[in-house]
Amino acid sequence: MSVNAKWLQVIVDEDEPRPRLNTVTSCMTLCDIKCDNYVRLIAADIALEDEPTATLKIFRGTTLHTELKLNGIPAAVQSFYSDESEPKTPIIAVAIAESVLFFRNLKPYFKYTVPGLGAEELERDLWLKLPTVRVEQQPALVESLRSIERPKMSRKSQKLIQLSQEEQNEFILKYADATVMRHPNIVALGCLERISSDVNPPSHLVIATDNGDILVLEPQSFGLIYQAKTCDYETVPSMIAVHGTYETDFRIVIATRYGGVYLLRKSVKEGQEIFKISHPFTGLMLLPVDQTITVCAMDCRLVCYSKKGKQLYVNKLPALPMCMIPITLPHLGLTLCCVALEGGLVQLYLQRYLVNEFHMVSTIGAMCFGRTGHEDYVLNMVSVEGEIFVKILKRTAAFDPSELLALKGNVESKAMVETILEKSKKSSIFVEQAAREKQNAKTTYGAFQAELWRLRYVAARATVDAINSSESTISGDITHAPVKLSAEVCGIGPEFRLYLTIQNMSSYKMASNLTVLLHADRRHYTLNKSMAKLPSILPGVPLKIDFEIVAVLDPNLKLPPHTLTIENSQIRVMLLKARQTKPLIAAVIAMPQSEANV
Amino acid sequence: MGMFKKISTFFKNKSEKVTILVIGLNNSGKSTIINHFKSPHEQAAITVPTVGFSLEQIRSEGVLFTMVDTSGAWRYRSLWEHHFKNCHGIIYVIDSSDRMRLVVVRDELDTLLQHPDLVNRSIPILLYNNKVDCEDSLSSVKIAAALGLHNIVDKPWHITPSNAVTGEGLEDGVHWLVQQIKSMNSNNKKLKR
């Protein structure tokens, strides 16, 4: 109960007509469309019965307010502000096929069409021939059109090959003079906010198209100001996540339909691949604080990667993830990852820890979090059946990973008690095995040694991975107080003094039970004391400790051993916490070259 | 205002101070209600969202009414509890047209009732079912049921429909509240004797 009391379920009257909505996460947005401080939910309702149609629906609370007919199926809907003038009127951008329709005050305001691409040589030639040849020869030419790949064909040709032979001639004559152009389709939209002291700054619109182009539009004139490719070959983006501002620097993370994730920076016009997975993505998130990328895919895993493509942690999901959204709680300084799973379970993760979960009556297919109505933290959910659910975050809710962790820990420790170790009895199998071992003592020993070495190798590799993954100067584990480490090497050698400053970055938590461990190659450096237990560190009071390091010099030559190079003249510093296997911080200190003893 | 003349007759010949805490979610009409109680030349033409809280003092025939006008915004709701100790009555304003947040209204009311400063006090709570003029507003009966008001047994409560813009229904509510405070004061005096 204590875990689930974080959300308040909005109760809708049974006798009232409940609006239905069939949508996806990318087609949902929240905005103050009437400029009356009442934030409304805007979503594209996509009806797929016989003739696919879509309408833009605006909700007031949970009741349908306005409907707008759209002339196509939208890929994404975004709302943003275009200028600083008061009253601030938001703009709704709806991406349909190759164009973005901008609505202002619920009226069409502007239409932007992405730059067209030249058609294939073959297709252009065919369209030159088609109107000139006799009607009997046309089917053969149309047939040759089919050899072109569908996505690379212009819309005109696509329509032509769908028509029956009788209609084709008429169509050809009608559109003979129209230019043969193909347009990439828009697959995703994003927003880059401008630097501003205002709460609702104007935003640049980011567009991803299915030929891998990423475009950025200027908010006032809707002019194209930035264009880049996802990667050097053509690929189809499926989702984007953006962070930063256009004026300074931004990062766009692009997930493609083929499982690749690419990172695009402002300075480069081509994204670089950071990792690839073999299952289709259902959600992509770029966490603003530590700049990690979280994805959930159809293999029931929630995986977090660093920007360099290093896998940081994996969470196993109990069911298929349907969609994922970030939940930013500025008052707590947290960004949670909210994943809706098949079957109606919705889970909230704080980094690798599950902090909250609740069950809905049916599978949630789309979600949207933010200010809705007059309330700040509202989670709007749409089930796959089309029902709308609204949950409001309780004012007193806090997300502490230790809460659920404690619950789970109890279960684990219980399981530990219940399993009694089975002792091998002197059964016939045991006796036979003992006899076998006696006979083949040599091979048994060899096999044991080989396995032992393998185990040591696996352990060593895991250690290196653990050390590398925490390689930073600030600890990233949110369950403890964040700690910052800085180092300073004094002296010219062979005796050096290493000063370490450890600072507690938290505002209220105490960092206790910490140990500093130094590690160096003993052929190069001698450490008199390589470990130090630290007293508890209070927030804001830095702790300074020092170590003596003596560089090993050849007694005759007065030179360091030849194995010491610039690359390996380093000392590893690890900050460990008691009863935790992974170091909080692992840093490498490059040592200066040592002078001979005077 | 004529109403305050009437109220102050209860406290005649005593320089009594009465503090009334006005709370409710943002945009429910707290400042507009207080604005209505002020003398005509002090009334503000437009109300803007309150930040933090503001104290409005209304003196009438020797009685000083202090109205604590709190902000209902999300980040300021935690400040409400600091006023609980020193108030004689609570006015809880509800936006009856905001159906979505009725569940928040209930949650905040429950938190208030369980607060240690109030849990053992028999403090009168007046609920204004505000914005009754809105077309999709809920009736007082429905709101009382939705908030589970019948579960409150240790505190006198009263719900009254109101329209803060025109002032409709405000006087009835305050009349009830003052009577409650008055009877409570006289009870206390009897106990002291």
Side-chain angles (χ1 to χ4, degrees):
Chain A
M1 189 60 209
S2 67
V3 175
N4 290 318
K6 289 187 173 38
W7 297 91
L8 301 167
Q9 171 80 48
V10 170
I11 302 142
V12 183
D13 268 355
E14 285 298 318
D15 46 320
E16 256 181 81
R18 300 182 82 172
R20 298 197 81 75
L21 182 63
N22 183 26
T23 190
V24 286
T25 304
S26 66
C27 287
M28 283 174 92
T29 184
L30 295 164
C31 99
D32 172 19
I33 195 164
K34 293 265 169 75
C35 312
D36 56 356
N37 278 326
Y38 194 94
V39 183
R40 289 160 168 84
L41 170 69
I42 296 156
D45 189 15
I46 303 156
L48 291 172
E49 288 103 33
D50 36 275
E51 186 72 13
T53 53
T55 43
L56 198 65
K57 288 187 170 174
I58 291 112
F59 294 86
R60 193 183 196 281
T62 50
T63 49
L64 185 63
H65 198 257
T66 325
E67 269 184 78
L68 259 179
K69 199 118 185 97
L70 295 173
N71 57 346
I73 305 295
V77 177
Q78 271 286 352
S79 64
F80 63 95
Y81 289 87
S82 69
D83 48 25
E84 307 248 16
S85 63
E86 296 285 340
K88 295 191 103 176
T89 319
I91 288 182
I92 305 170
V94 183
I96 298 174
E98 76 272 8
S99 43
V100 186
L101 306 173
F102 295 96
F103 292 90
R104 190 172 181 156
N105 292 323
L106 279 177
K107 288 181 189 73
Y109 175 63
F110 193 81
K111 180 179 174 176
Y112 175 81
T113 305
V114 295
L117 304 164
E120 298 269 304
E121 195 80 11
L122 174 72
E123 195 184 351
R124 220 172 313 145
D125 288 348
L126 281 170
W127 271 99
L128 283 177
K129 273 188 224 160
L130 273 171
T132 54
V133 297
R134 269 179 292 151
V135 180
E136 297 83 66
Q137 287 172 314
Q138 275 176 358
L141 287 174
V142 172
E143 204 52 44
S144 57
L145 257 180
R146 288 181 201 267
S147 65
I148 306 166
E149 266 182 75
R150 268 300 173 97
K152 293 197 172 158
M153 202 187 277
S154 70
R155 197 153 298 155
K156 190 161 76 165
S157 309
Q158 284 186 13
K159 184 91 190 161
L160 178 68
I161 56 172
Q162 279 174 357
L163 294 172
S164 65
Q165 280 200 8
E166 296 81 60
E167 292 167 316
Q168 276 176 359
N169 185 39
E170 201 184 325
F171 184 84
I172 291 164
L173 292 176
K174 197 173 170 190
Y175 294 103
D177 297 329
T179 48
V180 188
M181 274 278 260
R182 80 189 160 96
H183 286 278
N185 289 320
I186 298 169
V187 285
L189 293 180
C191 274
L192 275 176
E193 285 189 349
R194 207 182 250 177
I195 312 167
S196 173
S197 54
D198 202 278
V199 279
N200 296 317
S203 306
H204 294 267
L205 190 69
V206 184
I207 301 170
T209 63
D210 64 355
N211 64 336
D213 276 345
I214 304 293
L215 315 168
V216 177
L217 297 189
E218 202 273 327
Q220 256 170 324
S221 62
F222 303 113
L224 182 63
I225 47 167
Y226 175 87
Q227 186 166 13
K229 296 289 280 176
T230 304
C231 58
D232 49 359
Y233 49 91
E234 199 159 293
T235 181
V236 188
S238 62
M239 273 174 277
I240 56 168
V242 294
H243 178 74
T245 54
Y246 183 77
E247 286 90 343
T248 53
D249 194 17
F250 61 79
R251 280 163 208 89
I252 302 174
V253 180
I254 309 137
T256 65
R257 287 184 193 162
Y258 312 115
V261 172
Y262 302 84
L263 181 72
L264 187 68
R265 288 166 206 271
K266 192 190 178 183
S267 48
V268 284
K269 298 275 168 159
E270 204 172 86
Q272 51 187 155
E273 186 180 302
I274 41 179
F275 62 91
K276 208 161 193 171
I277 60 170
S278 49
H279 291 81
F281 293 109
T282 56
L284 171 76
M285 243 169 75
L286 178 64
L287 286 178
V289 185
D290 44 3
Q291 297 274 303
T292 53
I293 300 152
T294 308
V295 291
C296 63
M298 294 300 277
D299 55 351
C300 291
R301 290 198 311 165
L302 184 77
V303 197
C304 179
Y305 290 90
S306 75
K307 272 194 301 184
K308 286 175 184 149
K310 204 179 270 175
Q311 185 179 308
L312 297 177
Y313 53 85
V314 185
N315 285 325
K316 191 98 189 81
L317 298 171
L320 274 183
M322 300 299 288
C323 56
M324 177 170 75
I325 54 160
I327 289 187
T328 311
L329 305 169
H331 65 290
L332 297 171
L334 300 173
T335 300
L336 304 177
C337 167
C338 180
V339 198
L341 304 171
E342 198 179 23
L345 184 66
V346 180
Q347 291 189 318
L348 281 95
Y349 286 91
L350 176 60
Q351 296 192 353
R352 77 193 67 179
Y353 306 104
L354 177 69
V355 285
N356 186 221
E357 61 178 13
F358 52 85
H359 284 274
M360 302 304 293
V361 284
S362 58
T363 308
I364 300 300
M367 292 188 290
C368 187
F369 181 80
R371 191 182 166 88
T372 313
H374 290 294
E375 195 69 14
D376 279 347
Y377 304 107
V378 182
L379 180 63
N380 297 286
M381 293 174 283
V382 181
S383 74
V384 283
E385 283 90 31
E387 247 180 302
I388 303 169
F389 302 100
V390 182
K391 272 190 186 283
I392 301 176
L393 186 75
K394 257 188 153 179
R395 184 164 59 84
T396 46
F399 294 94
D400 192 4
S402 55
E403 199 178 306
L404 257 175
L405 220 59
L407 275 177
K408 293 216 160 161
N410 279 343
V411 174
E412 267 168 30
S413 59
K414 245 184 211 164
M416 285 278 273
V417 172
E418 277 164 11
T419 52
I420 301 156
L421 283 175
E422 271 185 47
K423 271 188 269 176
S424 59
K425 294 181 191 98
K426 282 209 172 181
S427 62
S428 60
I429 301 171
F430 177 79
V431 174
E432 275 169 34
Q433 177 66 21
R436 230 186 342 252
E437 275 177 20
K438 239 178 227 170
Q439 264 173 13
N440 311 313
K442 229 175 188 176
T443 43
T444 313
Y445 178 74
F448 172 74
Q449 284 298 317
E451 285 304 312
L452 184 64
W453 279 110
R454 188 163 297 152
L455 176 73
R456 283 179 181 163
Y457 167 69
V458 169
R461 210 161 63 169
T463 312
V464 170
D465 275 351
I467 291 169
N468 285 344
S469 69
S470 52
E471 211 165 81
S472 77
T473 54
I474 300 177
S475 70
D477 200 332
I478 36 84
T479 48
H480 309 296
V483 188
K484 192 182 163 187
L485 177 82
S486 52
E488 194 183 356
V489 182
C490 293
I492 50 163
E495 277 124 25
F496 293 101
R497 202 149 266 277
L498 175 68
Y499 290 96
L500 293 177
T501 314
I502 298 136
Q503 208 173 344
N504 184 352
M505 305 295 282
S506 157
S507 52
Y508 58 94
K509 275 187 192 163
M510 192 166 75
S512 53
N513 289 329
L514 296 179
T515 311
V516 170
L517 180 72
L518 298 189
H519 180 254
D521 194 328
R522 71 176 69 160
R523 289 172 299 168
H524 304 149
Y525 296 102
T526 315
L527 300 168
N528 289 338
K529 188 176 82 168
S530 61
M531 202 177 94
K533 276 207 170 137
L534 301 182
S536 294
I537 305 167
L538 293 176
V541 188
L543 178 85
K544 213 167 178 184
I545 53 162
D546 59 297
F547 292 92
E548 196 186 325
I549 297 165
V550 184
V552 175
L553 295 177
D554 195 293
N556 305 322
L557 296 165
K558 304 274 184 218
L559 277 174
H562 65 277
T563 48
L564 184 76
T565 58
I566 297 168
E567 282 83 56
N568 66 14
S569 63
Q570 56 190 26
I571 287 176
R572 242 174 223 290
V573 181
M574 273 171 261
L575 196 66
L576 309 162
K577 195 170 173 81
R579 295 201 295 168
Q580 195 177 322
T581 46
K582 210 180 136 188
L584 288 180
I585 302 174
V588 172
I589 297 165
M591 293 297 289
Q593 221 165 11
S594 169
E595 296 289 322
N597 207 350
V598 194
Chain B
M1 292 296 297
M3 170 183 36
F4 273 90
K5 247 176 205 163
K6 194 161 55 186
I7 296 162
S8 48
T9 53
F10 293 127
F11 306 103
K12 228 173 208 167
N13 307 325
K14 285 171 265 171
S15 88
E16 195 109 23
K17 280 183 187 173
V18 174
T19 309
I20 293 168
L21 177 63
V22 185
I23 55 173
L25 302 188
N26 49 330
N27 202 50
S28 58
K30 297 174 293 299
S31 300
T32 316
I33 286 177
I34 291 176
N35 195 33
H36 204 87
F37 292 149
K38 288 189 220 166
S39 55
H41 63 274
E42 279 178 333
Q43 281 182 9
I46 44 160
T47 41
V48 288
T50 312
V51 175
F53 70 94
S54 62
L55 294 173
E56 298 291 345
Q57 293 196 323
I58 301 157
R59 188 184 286 277
S60 189
E61 294 183 28
V63 185
L64 191 67
F65 293 94
T66 308
M67 296 283 217
V68 185
D69 182 11
T70 58
S71 169
W74 206 88
R75 58 184 178 281
Y76 295 121
R77 278 180 221 159
S78 53
L79 301 176
W80 292 355
E81 58 189 48
H82 299 293
H83 301 286
F84 289 165
K85 221 169 207 167
N86 301 318
C87 69
H88 302 97
I90 292 175
I91 297 180
Y92 196 84
V93 187
I94 302 156
D95 177 356
S96 60
S97 65
D98 194 353
R99 292 170 183 225
M100 194 181 92
R101 290 209 295 170
L102 210 57
V103 60
V104 185
V105 171
R106 177 169 189 163
D107 180 56
E108 293 294 350
L109 185 66
D110 289 346
T111 332
L112 177 147
L113 293 171
Q114 280 153 20
H115 193 272
D117 284 350
L118 290 179
V119 76
N120 291 320
R121 276 177 72 191
S122 176
I123 189 164
I125 300 172
L126 168 67
L127 298 108
Y128 273 128
N129 184 17
N130 204 13
K131 303 197 188 179
V132 280
D133 53 315
C134 286
E135 50 183 300
D136 52 351
S137 65
L138 290 166
S139 70
S140 298
V141 180
K142 272 192 175 170
I143 293 218
L147 299 185
L149 293 180
H150 52 273
N151 294 331
I152 309 172
V153 284
D154 56 338
K155 293 177 184 60
W157 59 269
H158 180 69
I159 183 160
T160 179
S162 70
N163 178 355
V165 181
T166 58
E168 222 180 292
L170 294 182
E171 305 210 1
D172 294 346
V174 167
H175 186 76
W176 174 86
L177 186 68
V178 168
Q179 262 186 336
Q180 287 292 327
I181 296 174
K182 187 201 157 202
S183 67
M184 219 157 279
N185 281 353
S186 57
N187 277 351
N188 283 350
K189 285 213 174 104
K190 269 177 207 162
L191 282 174
K192 273 178 194 168
R193 272 172 204 168

